[in-house]
Amino acid sequence: MMHLDFALDLAKNVTVTEPSPIWVTGTSKRFGYRVAYPSEWDVELARKTSGGDYYYGLDGEAFAVTRTTKCHCTLNATAIALNRYQRQHVKGFRVVRNSTSRVAGQRARVVESRGTYEGGRSWDLTYLVVRGTYLYVFDYSAPHPLKAADRTMAQQLIGSIAFR
């Protein structure tokens, strides 16, 4: 048996702050990277040569990682080729911003875009990284226009990337 006594002082304002989410670290041995992500997200790691790694959030956001054999291109040429492909295959595809970035100390291009895919509308931040003999594509997507919280989440995910 247990007995609890509570003393409530209604004259004081009490503020309860939500705890920050717990993040876990996952490693993709197949693609050779490590990433931290919120523990409540679902993860599907690639098992086939053509698949990618997918991390699914609770509000429809997702983070996808793919890796392909690098063409001997610059990041700019790769971003142009990706945008050309997307314009041909994604309804209403539009590049909002194309800028430089860094991922795990490597130079990167980040392309912010939007379009309509088979499953619905998507707003994306796509990071392109050339590392060794591979081109890595890290893509954060949301089912709504990107908000500050989405940009922060994408930055936290990208900021946690480490290559093996």
Side-chain angles (χ1 to χ4, degrees), residues 10-85:
L10 299 177
K12 291 184 181 178
N13 287 334
V14 177
T15 304
V16 177
T17 57
E18 180 181 354
S20 59
I22 298 171
W23 285 52
V24 295
T25 303
T27 301
S28 174
K29 291 180 182 176
R30 182 166 179 270
F31 291 150
Y33 73 90
R34 186 178 69 237
V35 64
Y37 57 92
S39 62
E40 66 268 6
W41 282 31
D42 291 327
V43 178
E44 290 180 15
L45 297 179
R47 297 186 192 276
K48 297 180 181 178
T49 56
S50 62
D53 293 344
Y54 299 96
Y55 303 81
Y56 299 104
L58 300 177
D59 297 322
E61 71 273 34
F63 186 64
V65 181
T66 57
R67 182 183 81 172
T68 60
T69 302
K70 176 180 92 171
C71 67
H72 297 286
C73 303
T74 65
L75 284 173
N76 288 341
T78 305
I80 289 167
L82 172 69
N83 293 340
R84 185 178 304 125
Y85 176 86

Side-chain angles (χ1 to χ4, degrees), residues 3 15 29 31 95 115 123 156:
H3 178 78
T15 304
K29 291 180 182 176
F31 291 150
V95 172
W123 286 260
Q156 289 173 325

